[in-house]
Amino acid sequence: MFTLQHLALPITEFNCPLDMYVRCDSRNLGNFLISKECFTIGEGEVATFDTYYNLFSISKWRKISNIRDLFFTLKGNGEAIVQINWSDNYGQSKVVQSIPVSLYGNEYTVHLPEFNTQEVGYLYITIVAKTEFKLFRESRFETPDEIRNKVKLAIVITHFNRADHVIPTVKKLLNFIDNYGLKENVCIFIIDNSNNLDCNISSTNLVVIENPNFGGAGGFARGLVEIKHRDFTHCLYMDDDGSCHSESIYRVLSIFQHSQIQDLALVGTLLAEEKPNIILQSGAKYQYRGWKNINFGENISSRLGIFRSERAFEKPDYGAWPFYAFKISSIKYFPFPFFVRGDDVFFGLQNQLTTIWWHGIAVLVGDLVARESPGTLYHDERAMLVINLMRNTPFLKIIKQYSKLYFSELFSYKYASARAMHMAFRDVLNGPKFFSDNMDCANVRAILKPLNYEERLIDVNLEPKFAKPVKKKTKIMYALTCKGLFLPNFMLKKGAIYQEKGLAANTIQTFNYAKIFYYCQTNNKCQILERDLLKFVNGFVTFLIDACHFIIAGKLIRKKYQNTKVGSESFWLKKFNME
């Protein structure tokens, strides 16, 4: 038998709500106990596994593999009734088998013919405990069908001055390799961009490689260079904090082993660290205006959220690199040297892999809103401009995307962010040679530092004013004054108007205030930004100059990017002195 997926149970180092693993009566939580080895269900209690981590997708497995037979093996201790349930894609369920079991640390295997009789839907189990029942982590869905593909997985992690994150991650991954018996199948590559990692861990499954600080793009490109000519078949790009359930990595292996899709790529769903039951994205689509997150905001601790997210029809264009796995031989294009931001987007768009997400494959990421700054906006805008030029996006659309975001920053009093966007525009117009000459972005980061300081988050003891429902006369004034641009200072309201920290303000709420109070819920800090008409005018003139420059030089710049060798395998080999 070959295990397709284990029954995932909560683990202490991956903090997700219990109902992402199992549903039980919240009034009797004291009758349910979690330990390292098992999940204990009190006598008379019911545990149902129709959850994000424990649904078994019939339709996905039938689509990507030629598996013909399926079994479920339960390892437990105690007496219980085990129910096999089938659900359609909308969450309507029925019990298809009900089996009494008496186990004493041994296993019981049941055949699941529904895998063949149903083309869509999900299977999951329910356990009704007749006595106290211990459910062991070895319980699993499995098949007698032979593995289709030999898989040897390289986990590539880029590190820069975060030893306190990466060392626990390495230890966790090595424990996973040992516990699952995967020493011959998985190896960890740490690309040390800071050249100062001393993890003092001796293992044949760990390789640490010192690398120039070329950012995330350079770290992951180095990892790909290192593994491409060894005996690895697949690669998993992963964050240095490795905030995922070990079962997520096992499922990557299992899916690749049985997949009949040769260019398959798996994207880990990004979950909010602060609210791990909320999806940030299950991969994303790219449009000339930027990226659109798939399944954003879905609550996957609820049945409704799970099934709704699984019905999402959009195919991801790419997967974010906190967790992205692919077959090495299907990669034709290496990462473009963006340093950070946009490298994963362009990598996915260029290689055009069959990218899918899979429930139970997820990773926790920190608050993205708190990280936003003029510096991150610079890298985002730079990437979008290059991608749009390379993809033959019409010039009018490129200017439209840039101008809409640029002026939203100006009208939001984020003048430093607008200047960062201007920097991005200017640097892109210098052509691909700019990226080759600024691999470490040291000069760029030095220029961005004071801009980031202008819009830094601070502690302020201030009571902001909160927006009231917008009246008709306010809308008229908003339109007549061009979003408040022509309002004289004496007509502006005193104090600061409250806004949630984000890319831009809701300007119909803020246009007649002298100050905006941006609040970040994650860390309880804020920005207070003031209206400055002179900075707005300077920003407007700068935009006109940039637009004229782009109109004149756009065709030549596009041709340079489309014909460049920057970002190719030979380019990276030269940068790494590995020719």
Side-chain angles (χ1 to χ4, degrees), residues 159-177:
H159 163 262
F160 184 80
N161 285 336
R162 278 166 53 102
D164 56 330
H165 287 79
V166 77
I167 291 174
T169 297
V170 168
K171 291 179 178 178
K172 183 175 71 174
L173 290 173
L174 289 174
N175 285 336
F176 157 75
I177 292 169

Side-chain angles (χ1 to χ4, degrees), residues 190-248:
I190 307 296
I191 310 301
D192 181 19
N193 282 358
S194 51
N195 297 306
N196 59 7
L197 182 63
D198 184 11
C199 57
N200 291 320
I201 300 173
S202 177
S203 172
T204 56
N205 295 93
L206 174 64
V207 180
V208 179
I209 298 169
E210 292 189 348
N211 195 51
N213 183 23
F214 296 155
F220 288 119
R222 179 62 181 271
L224 190 53
V225 165
E226 293 287 343
I227 66 176
K228 186 175 181 182
H229 301 293
R230 305 194 192 193
D231 61 341
F232 294 96
T233 60
H234 292 74
C235 176
L236 168 60
Y237 283 168
M238 196 171 176
D239 259 357
D240 59 6
D241 57 6
S243 293
C244 70
H245 196 292
S246 54
E247 178 63 15
S248 292

Side-chain angles (χ1 to χ4, degrees), residues 336-356:
F336 192 85
F338 284 125
F339 193 74
V340 293
R341 299 252 181 170
D343 41 10
D344 49 3
V345 182
F346 199 31
F347 185 78
L349 292 172
Q350 282 194 302
N351 285 293
Q352 296 185 329
L353 307 180
T354 302
T355 303
I356 63 173

Side-chain angles (χ1 to χ4, degrees), residues 403-517:
S403 62
K404 185 176 180 179
L405 183 54
Y406 184 86
F407 281 104
S408 72
E409 299 304 297
L410 289 180
F411 280 109
S412 300
Y413 309 165
K414 294 190 172 188
Y415 306 114
S417 289
R419 293 204 300 278
M421 287 189 64
H422 159 66
M423 274 182 60
F425 200 89
R426 179 200 63 198
D427 291 345
V428 169
L429 291 185
N430 284 327
K433 188 176 184 297
F434 169 83
F435 292 91
S436 180
D437 293 343
N438 292 272
M439 294 292 293
D440 61 0
C441 272
N443 294 332
V444 169
R445 285 181 282 143
I447 298 171
L448 288 172
K449 189 174 181 179
L451 300 184
N452 290 333
Y453 186 79
E454 281 187 42
E455 295 184 11
R456 69 196 182 280
L457 288 168
I458 56 175
D459 294 305
V460 175
N461 186 17
L462 175 69
E463 285 294 325
K465 296 185 178 181
F466 290 88
K468 297 177 181 179
V470 179
K471 297 179 181 179
K472 186 175 181 180
K473 65 178 182 180
T474 304
K475 293 180 181 179
I476 294 172
M477 182 182 290
Y478 178 73
L480 291 177
T481 62
C482 187
K483 299 183 179 181
L485 177 62
F486 301 128
L487 268 179
N489 287 337
F490 71 84
M491 291 185 66
L492 296 175
K493 294 181 181 180
K494 305 300 179 185
I497 181 69
Y498 176 89
Q499 293 283 288
E500 293 281 339
K501 184 179 185 298
L503 198 56
N506 183 350
T507 52
I508 199 167
Q509 295 177 348
T510 64
F511 77 98
N512 52 354
Y513 280 84
K515 298 179 181 179
I516 302 177
F517 180 100

Side-chain angles (χ1 to χ4, degrees), residues 62-187:
R62 285 173 65 97
K63 183 177 181 180
I64 68 111
S65 74
N66 58 359
I67 290 172
R68 298 179 299 278
D69 230 348
L70 183 69
F71 292 80
F72 180 76
T73 293
L74 178 75
K75 183 176 182 180
N77 194 320
E79 295 184 10
I81 296 173
V82 179
Q83 295 175 347
I84 308 297
N85 307 274
W86 173 84
S87 171
D88 65 15
N89 291 339
Y90 294 86
Q92 298 297 315
S93 303
K94 64 180 181 181
V95 178
V96 293
Q97 294 188 57
S98 185
I99 308 153
V101 296
S102 295
L103 298 175
Y104 303 95
N106 55 320
E107 295 183 344
Y108 180 87
T109 299
V110 55
H111 183 226
L112 304 176
E114 294 76 22
F115 182 75
N116 290 318
T117 59
Q118 303 289 343
E119 292 189 1
V120 297
Y122 305 86
L123 293 168
Y124 64 92
I125 70 163
T126 298
I127 295 179
V128 182
K130 297 173 71 176
T131 65
E132 181 181 89
F133 191 86
K134 294 183 184 297
L135 175 65
F136 291 96
R137 296 180 185 271
E138 292 90 340
S139 301
R140 59 202 179 270
F141 290 93
E142 56 189 356
T143 180
D145 297 332
E146 290 288 332
I147 288 174
R148 181 185 180 94
N149 309 304
K150 178 187 175 183
V151 174
K152 188 168 183 180
L153 180 69
I155 300 176
V156 175
I157 297 173
T158 297
H159 163 262
F160 184 80
N161 285 336
R162 278 166 53 102
D164 56 330
H165 287 79
V166 77
I167 291 174
T169 297
V170 168
K171 291 179 178 178
K172 183 175 71 174
L173 290 173
L174 289 174
N175 285 336
F176 157 75
I177 292 169
D178 287 340
N179 294 338
Y180 283 75
L182 297 172
K183 286 192 173 185
E184 302 299 319
N185 303 89
V186 182
C187 187

